[in-house]
Amino acid sequence: MKKTYYITTPIYYPSGNLHIGNTYTTVFCDALRRYKDMRGYDTYYLTGMDEHGKKIETVAQERNLHPIKHVDEIAEATKALWDRMSISYDDFIRTTEKRHKTVVQKLFEQLLDQGDIYLGEYEGYYCMHCEAFFTESQLEEGNACPDCERETSKLQEESYFLRLSKYQKKLLNFIEDNPDFITPETRRNEVLNFIRQGLNDLSVSRTTFDWGIKIVSNPKHVVYVWIDALSNYISALGYGTDNDELFQKYWYGDEVVHVVGKDILRFHAIYWPIMLMALGIPITFKLHAHGFYTAKEGKMSKSKGSVVYPDTLIERYGLDELRYFLLRELPYGGDGVFTPASFVERINYDLANDFGNLLNRTVSMINKYLSGKVASYSEASTEYDADLQTMCKETVATYSDYMDNLKVSEAIKTVWAFISRTNKYIDETEPWILGKDKNKKDELENVLYHLAESLRHIGVMLQPILLDASQSLFKQLGIPQALRRYETLSFGELREAEVVRKPSPLFPRLDQEKEIDKLTKHLRGEEEEPVPEEEDNLATFDDFTKLDMRVAKITKCAPHKNADKLLVLQVDLGEGKERQIVAGIAKHYEPESLVGKKVVVVANLEPVTLRGEKSEGMLLAGSNDDILEVLTVDRLNPGDSVS
Ligand code: ME8
C-alpha cells in the first residue's frame, strides 16, 4: 500500500486578485505534491477560498455587488489562475459551500454542548482587516492594530468564547513533545513564547455583521471567520458527514502538512490544535510557516504600486521561469525580495546560461560527434568521471533530504551546484579536442555519455519545479519514459538514447536592460514609453504598412480594477470573437459613454498584460494640452481596414 500525503495551502481571502505572495505558497505546495508523487506517495492537495467576514462584505459593497457575486467572481478567477499555472490541486474548497457550512455549524454546536464554547461579553478594540479583537494595552500608538497597524475601532458586544485557557497546558506539552510539529524552529519558539505568556479565551462569534455562517442555536451570531476558515482542512475531506472516506484515509494517513505564511502562524499553531483537541480529533498535521516576498522598498503595497501579480510574468516570461524564481528566491525560514532585476537575472543566468546552455551544448555535440546517438555506459575512466558520478549521487541524496524537509530553495540550489559541476566537466574534458582525434572516439563517447546521464538526473530532480523544461529536456535527449522516474536515479541506468537533430533552447535569453526596464514600468502601471522622435528617425512606408489598423465597435467598457488611469474595453473587430483592449483614457471618458462607438484600433500589436488585464490592441486617440479624444468613425463597419 502506498503511503499517503495530504498537503494544504491557506484558503485565501477573495479581497482582490491574488498576487505573487499567495502564488508562492500555492506553487510551493504544488512542487512538494509533485515530488511526493514522484516518490510513490498517494497524495492529496487541497486549496481554496476563505469567503466570509466583514472585510469581504465591505469589499463587495464597494463594488456594489452582493457578497456571493463578488466571491463567485474571485473564486473563478483564482481557479483559472491555478489552472493556467498547472497547479495540481485535487480540491478547491470554498467556505460558502454547503458541504463546509454544515460541518462548521455542527462542530460549533458540539463545542457549545461540551462547554468548550460559552456565551459572554466582549469589550475591546476590533481590527476589521485582521478580524480580531485586542485589549487597549495590546494596541500600537493611535489605537492601531498590533498585527497590521491599521486603525481599530472600539466595540462592545455579546460573544461566544472558546476556552483556550483550558487547553493551554495540553498544547504546550504537545508542542514540547513534538519538536518537528512546527517548522522552522524559530517559528516554533515564537509560538512557545506566546503560549507561555498565557492564553486568553478567544472570541469566536460576531453580531455586528451578517456575512458568515450562522450559529444554529443563536442565529443572531455568525461564526468568527478563523474558526470557520480553519475547519476547511477537515470539512473538505468530509469530516462529520456520512461520506468521510477521504478524512479517514488522509487525516489518519502517513503525512499531513499545512503550509502557511508567517503572518498566520498563530492561528494554525494555537487555535487550530486547540479546536482539534476539544473535538477529540488527533493532531496529525505538521505546520510549516514560510517567510514573505517583499518589494525592494519593503512590504508589497497596492497604493505604492509595488504589488506583483503573476499573470504578466507568466505571459511574458513563462510559467517555468516564474515557478523557478519563486521557489528559488525564498530561502527556508527567511524572506525574499522580488525585483525586476533579480527576476530577469535569474532567468538569464540560472536558466538560460547555466541550465539551458548545458543541454544545448550536449545535444549539439552528440549530434556533431556521435551522429545523434548516446553510446552505452562504460565505467568511469578518469578522475573527472569519478568526481562527476560521486557528485551526482550526493546531489540526489541531498536534494531528496531537502525536499523531504520542505527546503525547496535549498534543494534547487543543490541541483544548480551539480549543473555547474557538469558545465565544468565540459571544460575539463574538452570534447571538441577529443573530436579531432579518431583514436579518442571511446573517450569522447564516454564524456558525452556522462553529460547525457547527468542531465537525465537533473531533469528528473527538476520535474516538480520546472514542468515544461524537464519534459523538453527528456524529449531532446531522447530519454525513454521509464528512465524519467525517481527510482531510476543511479548513474549508468541510461543505456542508449537518440537525441533530437536540432536542439531548441530551453530558456531564450532576455535582453536584460530592456526587460528590466519594461517590467519596472509595467509594475508601476505605466504604459510603454513611445520612442522619442528624432529628426532622422523617419518611418519608412514599410514600417507604416506593418500596422494593421481596423475599425472596431466598443461593446463593453469598465474601469480597471487595479489602475485609476485605465479602462478595460471589449471590442468587436468583426472577427466573430471579441477582443479586450486596455486604454489609458479613464481620466477623459466615462466608461458608459464609449459603448457603441466605432473607433480605430491597431489590431496587430503584440498583446500585453496591464495590471493583470490582457490587452490585445491599441485605440487611436488624439490629444493636446486640454483634451484627449478617441478617433471615431461613422459609416464604416467593424473589421474595415484603415490606412
Ligand atoms: O490569511 N509572501 O488569507 P490571505 C509570501 N484567509 N506569502 C504570502 C505573501 C507574501 N508577501 N502574502 C500572502 C488568510 N502570502 C486567511 C487564511 S487559512 C485557514 C485562512 C500567502 O489571503 C501566505 O501563505 O491573507 C499567507 O499566509 C497567505 O498568503 C495569506 O493569505
Side-chain angles (χ1 to χ4, degrees):
M1 261 246 295
K2 282 182 170 187
K3 281 189 169 179
T4 62
Y5 185 73
Y6 174 40
I7 187 162
T8 66
T9 70
I11 48 173
Y12 306 112
Y13 289 127
S15 35
N17 286 340
L18 298 195
H19 50 70
I20 58 157
N22 323 106
T23 305
Y24 168 74
T25 317
T26 311
V27 169
F28 181 80
C29 291
D30 181 69
L32 289 167
R33 186 269 161 84
R34 287 173 188 272
Y35 168 74
K36 285 292 186 180
D37 272 343
M38 183 164 90
R39 299 300 307 268
Y41 279 70
D42 172 342
T43 60
Y44 199 80
Y45 177 7
L46 175 70
T47 187
M49 295 239 98
D50 185 359
E51 303 186 344
H52 290 126
K54 178 75 188 152
K55 190 165 47 178
I56 306 302
E57 194 183 64
T58 309
V59 177
Q61 270 163 3
E62 280 165 7
R63 293 186 63 207
N64 251 335
L65 289 177
H66 187 280
I68 194 69
K69 267 243 164 303
H70 167 75
V71 296
D72 278 351
E73 235 179 60
I74 306 261
E76 276 322 301
T78 304
K79 281 193 211 166
L81 174 65
W82 297 156
D83 290 345
R84 222 174 320 140
M85 296 193 66
S86 301
I87 300 296
S88 59
Y89 62 88
D90 293 289
D91 194 1
F92 188 98
I93 179 107
R94 299 180 52 191
T95 54
T96 48
E97 286 174 272
K98 188 157 183 285
R99 60 169 172 153
H100 174 75
K101 287 196 211 167
T102 321
V103 172
V104 172
Q105 286 180 325
K106 205 166 145 188
L107 66 83
F108 198 97
E109 292 301 315
Q110 183 190 330
L111 295 175
L112 201 56
D113 288 349
Q114 281 172 207
D116 281 316
I117 286 180
Y118 62 93
L119 189 60
E121 178 145 294
Y122 201 95
E123 195 185 330
Y125 291 82
Y126 189 64
C127 171
M128 189 174 90
H129 179 79
C130 301
E131 312 261 9
F133 279 109
F134 298 98
T135 56
E136 195 161 6
S137 64
Q138 288 173 308
L139 297 179
E140 307 266 309
E141 209 172 301
N143 290 350
C145 166
D147 287 342
C148 74
E149 291 170 7
R150 289 177 176 82
E151 201 181 328
T152 58
S153 46
K154 199 165 182 190
L155 270 186
Q156 182 175 19
E157 64 177 29
E158 182 186 272
S159 172
Y160 286 95
F161 288 87
L162 175 65
R163 289 188 202 280
L164 296 190
S165 46
K166 173 176 161 189
Y167 291 94
Q168 173 173 332
K169 184 91 195 51
K170 202 169 163 192
L171 178 64
L172 204 56
N173 290 343
F174 179 81
I175 300 178
E176 279 166 350
D177 294 346
N178 293 279
D180 60 348
F181 171 52
I182 301 167
T183 54
E185 207 183 334
T186 47
R187 302 278 170 226
R188 175 175 181 264
N189 293 336
E190 270 172 41
V191 172
L192 283 171
N193 288 339
F194 187 84
I195 302 173
R196 286 186 187 125
Q197 284 166 23
L199 299 177
N200 294 324
D201 290 351
L202 175 72
S203 157
V204 291
S205 73
R206 302 287 183 263
T207 51
T208 44
F209 61 89
D210 248 6
W211 184 239
I213 300 180
K214 289 207 168 11
I215 292 171
V216 179
S217 54
N218 188 356
K220 93 174 180 225
H221 288 255
V222 294
V223 177
Y224 170 45
V225 72
W226 272 100
I227 299 293
D228 172 350
L230 289 162
S231 313
N232 92 88
Y233 300 127
I234 54 174
S235 71
L237 297 181
Y239 162 79
T241 69
D242 294 342
N243 185 2
D244 71 349
E245 256 170 63
L246 289 174
F247 178 69
Q248 294 299 336
K249 178 174 176 185
Y250 290 107
W251 193 261
Y252 291 97
D254 297 286
E255 290 180 43
V256 180
V257 185
H258 293 326
V259 177
V260 300
K262 62 181 181 182
D263 55 330
I264 54 174
L265 171 67
R266 212 181 287 164
F267 301 96
H268 285 81
I270 298 175
Y271 306 161
W272 181 224
I274 287 182
M275 279 170 70
L276 291 169
M277 282 174 178
L279 290 166
I281 302 173
I283 302 167
T284 52
F285 70 89
K286 301 261 186 293
L287 181 61
H288 177 69
H290 61 70
F292 257 38
Y293 265 109
T294 62
K296 209 176 184 174
E297 322 69 60
K299 206 170 162 188
M300 289 194 281
S301 131
K302 246 190 190 169
S303 55
K304 285 189 208 143
S306 57
V307 183
V308 185
Y309 297 96
D311 311 63
T312 326
L313 300 177
I314 304 165
E315 267 155 42
R316 201 199 283 275
Y317 304 101
L319 178 57
D320 279 349
E321 283 84 343
L322 177 62
R323 287 175 70 99
Y324 177 78
F325 180 88
L326 290 177
L327 295 175
R328 163 92 194 225
E329 201 71 15
L330 200 95
Y332 184 81
D335 292 328
V337 185
F338 180 97
T339 65
S342 58
F343 182 65
V344 170
E345 282 166 12
R346 282 257 174 249
I347 296 177
N348 267 1
Y349 298 153
D350 298 6
L351 295 177
N353 281 5
D354 296 349
F355 179 34
N357 255 350
L358 174 62
L359 177 71
N360 217 277
R361 289 166 88 191
T362 302
V363 173
S364 301
M365 289 192 290
I366 293 172
N367 271 314
K368 183 167 175 193
Y369 301 122
L370 306 178
S371 314
K373 293 209 172 64
V374 183
S376 61
Y377 177 62
S378 54
E379 288 301 316
S381 46
T382 65
E383 61 177 297
Y384 303 131
D385 297 350
D387 191 52
L388 190 73
Q389 289 190 26
T390 309
M391 181 152 178
C392 186
K393 197 169 161 195
E394 285 169 3
T395 303
V396 174
T398 317
Y399 157 89
S400 310
D401 188 49
Y402 279 142
M403 290 298 278
D404 288 337
N405 288 296
L406 312 178
K407 298 183 173 172
V408 176
S409 169
E410 289 67 18
I412 296 176
K413 273 183 216 143
T414 305
V415 176
W416 248 260
F418 182 57
I419 289 175
S420 296
R421 175 68 194 90
T422 314
N423 273 317
K424 191 169 144 214
Y425 176 85
I426 301 183
D427 300 337
E428 289 165 345
T429 53
E430 300 179 314
W432 50 92
I433 296 190
L434 300 176
K436 286 190 190 134
D437 186 345
K438 280 212 173 72
N439 298 327
K440 298 265 169 84
K441 178 98 196 295
D442 284 355
E443 248 179 81
L444 181 61
E445 276 184 355
N446 181 51
V447 164
L448 294 178
Y449 175 86
H450 273 76
L451 290 176
E453 181 61 328
S454 298
L455 274 163
R456 179 179 74 91
H457 280 71
I458 292 164
V460 172
M461 287 186 278
L462 291 181
Q463 279 184 107
I465 319 285
L466 303 177
L467 309 183
D468 292 336
S470 55
Q471 298 316 306
S472 171
L473 174 150
F474 293 141
K475 252 204 205 130
Q476 296 198 44
L477 280 175
I479 306 289
Q481 281 293 344
L483 291 179
R484 302 176 186 184
R485 300 205 327 266
Y486 181 90
E487 308 82 78
T488 66
L489 290 186
S490 160
F491 213 95
E493 281 295 309
L494 181 67
R495 295 288 155 202
E496 48 194 15
E498 186 163 350
V499 303
V500 291
R501 285 278 156 264
K502 217 173 154 308
S504 46
L506 285 182
F507 300 97
R509 261 190 79 81
L510 301 171
D511 178 335
Q512 208 148 301
E513 266 179 41
K514 190 172 126 209
E515 284 307 327
I516 294 174
D517 191 48
K518 255 188 177 178
L519 194 51
T520 310
K521 287 201 180 110
H522 170 77
L523 294 179
R524 287 202 208 118
E526 295 167 4
E527 312 261 344
E528 230 89 272
E529 274 186 10
V531 181
E533 267 181 49
E534 289 169 21
E535 268 175 38
D536 59 351
N537 191 16
L538 295 176
T540 65
F541 184 67
D542 277 354
D543 288 340
F544 179 70
T545 53
K546 265 196 203 155
L547 295 181
D548 178 16
M549 291 189 285
R550 294 188 176 274
V551 173
K553 185 168 176 185
I554 299 175
T555 57
K556 279 190 209 123
C557 180
H560 191 298
K561 280 187 219 124
N562 301 318
D564 295 345
K565 288 190 196 147
L566 304 178
L567 290 182
V568 182
L569 305 114
Q570 310 299 323
V571 300
D572 172 12
L573 273 157
E575 297 169 313
K577 200 171 104 201
E578 292 188 346
R579 289 198 199 189
Q580 176 164 297
I581 292 182
V582 179
I585 54 174
K587 296 259 180 295
H588 306 274
Y589 284 94
E590 286 303 318
E592 312 80 61
S593 69
L594 288 167
V595 175
K597 286 211 157 55
K598 286 190 279 183
V599 296
V600 180
V601 159
V602 182
N604 62 341
L605 269 194
E606 197 187 342
V608 287
T609 303
L610 296 167
R611 290 290 189 97
E613 291 288 354
K614 194 160 188 179
S615 183
E616 298 175 301
M618 193 173 89
L619 291 190
L620 294 193
S623 65
N624 57 29
D625 287 346
D626 304 319
I627 51 169
L628 178 145
E629 192 172 4
V630 170
L631 299 189
T632 55
V633 298
D634 187 17
R635 288 184 298 153
L636 293 168
N637 293 314
D640 287 349
S641 74
V642 177
S643 54

